[in-house]
Amino acid sequence: MRQALVVFLVLAVACAARAQRPPPCGRAAWPHWSRYVDTFISPDGRVIERSAADRTTSEGEAYALFFALVAGDRPLFDRLLKWSQENLAQGDLTRHLPAWNWGKRRDASWGVVDPNSASDADLWMAYALLEAGRLWSEPRYGDIARQILSNVVAREVSDLPGLGPTLLPGPAGFVLSGDRGVRLNPSYLPPQILRRFSSAAVPGPWDAVVSSSIRTLRETARSGAMADWVLYRPRRGFAPDPVHGSVGSYDAIRVYLWIGMLSDQEPAAGQLTRALGGLLRQLKETGKLPERIDVLSGRAGGTAPVGFYGALLPLARAASDEPSLKALQDRVAAGEKNGLYGDPPAYYDQNLILFARGFLDGRFRFDADGTLHTSWETQCLGRER
C-alpha cells in the first residue's frame, strides 16, 4: 500500500510539472487564439466566416497569419500561407494579389466569388510575411512580402492631386467617373504597418503613403468619430461617401484599434488619439457603445457587439482614460462564452478582441518605425530582433 502511494505521488508531481511546463521556444500559450483556431480555421489553413455562409476573405487569412506569427506557430503560419496562395492568388502570391472573397458560388461550386483584391488584407498579409521573414530568419517570406507590395504599388496606389500617393481600397471600382472623386476606406490605413514598409526599405512611395494616410485619418475624424467610407475630391478635399454617407460602424471601428496600438513615439499618435475620442465620450455619457454613429450629426443608434468594446481598449489606455478602460474590460469579460466572445461567437468580434487583448497583454507591440516585437522573441533569443 505504501509503495503504491509513493508511486501515485511521484506520478502526480510529474503530471503537475508537465502541466506547468512552458510551451516550446517560439510558441506562446494564447487560449483565445487556440479556441479561435479550433472554431474558425480548417486543418488546411482556411479561415471560415461561419456567420457569412462559410465564406473566406483575404482579410481573415491575413489577420490569421499575423496572429499565428504573434503566437509563434510556424506550422499554422505555413498552412495559412499555402491555402491563401493556392486558393486566393491563383497559386502565386508573387504575381497575383489575393482575391478578397472565396466561398460558395451560384453554381454551388466553391472558389473565388469576387477576384478584386482588398488593399487592407494585402497590407496585413505582406506585413505578417515581412516580419515573419525577420523573426524566423526565413528569406522566402520576405521575398513574397516584397512582391505583394510591388503589386500593391502598381495596382492599389494612386497619386491623387492635392493628396499625393494614396492607398485605394482595391484595384477596381473606387475611382468615380466624371472627375467625381475617389472613395477611400480609413480603416485600410494602419499607420504602423505603412511605416514598416518605409523603414524596411521596401521599394515604393511608402513615406508619401504614410503622409496621405495620416492626413486622411486626421481630416475625416468628425465629432470625434470616423466614417466607414469617405470621398476625396482632388483639390477640393474630403466629403461624405456617396454610397454609405457619413456613417461609421463595422469598418471604422478598426481605425480606433489601429490608433490605440500606435507606438508612443509615433509623431501623429497623440493628435489622432485626441481626434478619435467620440466613442469613448458616448460610453461615458450612455454607459454603452452604439453600433453606428453619424460623424456629421453625432446621431448614434443600434447596440454595438462585444468586439467594438474590445477594439476601443487600446485607445482608452493610450488616452489614459482609466474609467473607460475598466468599463470596456468589464464588458468584454462579460461577453466571454467558453473562451470566445459574443453569443453566438462571431468571427469579426474575435479578431478585434485578439488584436486588442493581445496588445494590452504584451503579446506584441509596434515600434515607432512599425517593427513588430513579440513576447516569444525575447524568450527564445534573449533579446528583441
Side-chain angles (χ1 to χ4, degrees), residues 143-185:
D143 292 343
I144 298 172
R146 287 177 171 82
Q147 285 299 317
I148 291 174
L149 292 171
S150 175
N151 290 327
V152 167
V153 170
R155 304 172 194 175
E156 298 177 333
V157 172
S158 180
D159 194 349
L160 302 181
L163 190 58
T166 301
L167 185 75
L168 304 183
F174 302 101
V175 178
L176 304 183
S177 61
D179 197 30
R180 290 184 295 141
V182 180
R183 300 180 65 222
L184 302 175
N185 189 315

Side-chain angles (χ1 to χ4, degrees), residues 1 15 18 24 30 35 37 47 104 123 125 155 164 206 211 233 255 289 294 319 339:
M1 176 70 76
C15 289
R18 283 197 297 270
W30 192 357
R35 186 59 62 88
V37 172
V47 180
K104 193 171 186 179
L123 295 187
M125 190 172 291
R155 304 172 194 175
W206 296 109
S211 296
R233 298 169 297 179
V255 177
L289 293 176
D294 189 296

Side-chain angles (χ1 to χ4, degrees), residues 256 259-262 264 269-281 284 312-325 328 359-360:
Y256 309 87
I259 300 309
M261 295 192 300
L262 287 173
D264 292 342
Q271 183 183 39
L272 291 172
T273 297
R274 291 188 296 273
L276 290 170
L279 289 185
L280 293 179
R281 288 197 295 272
K284 286 190 179 74
L312 287 183
L313 284 167
L315 189 70
R317 190 174 77 173
S320 299
D321 186 345
E322 292 299 325
S324 292
L325 181 61
L328 293 166
F359 178 76
L360 263 61

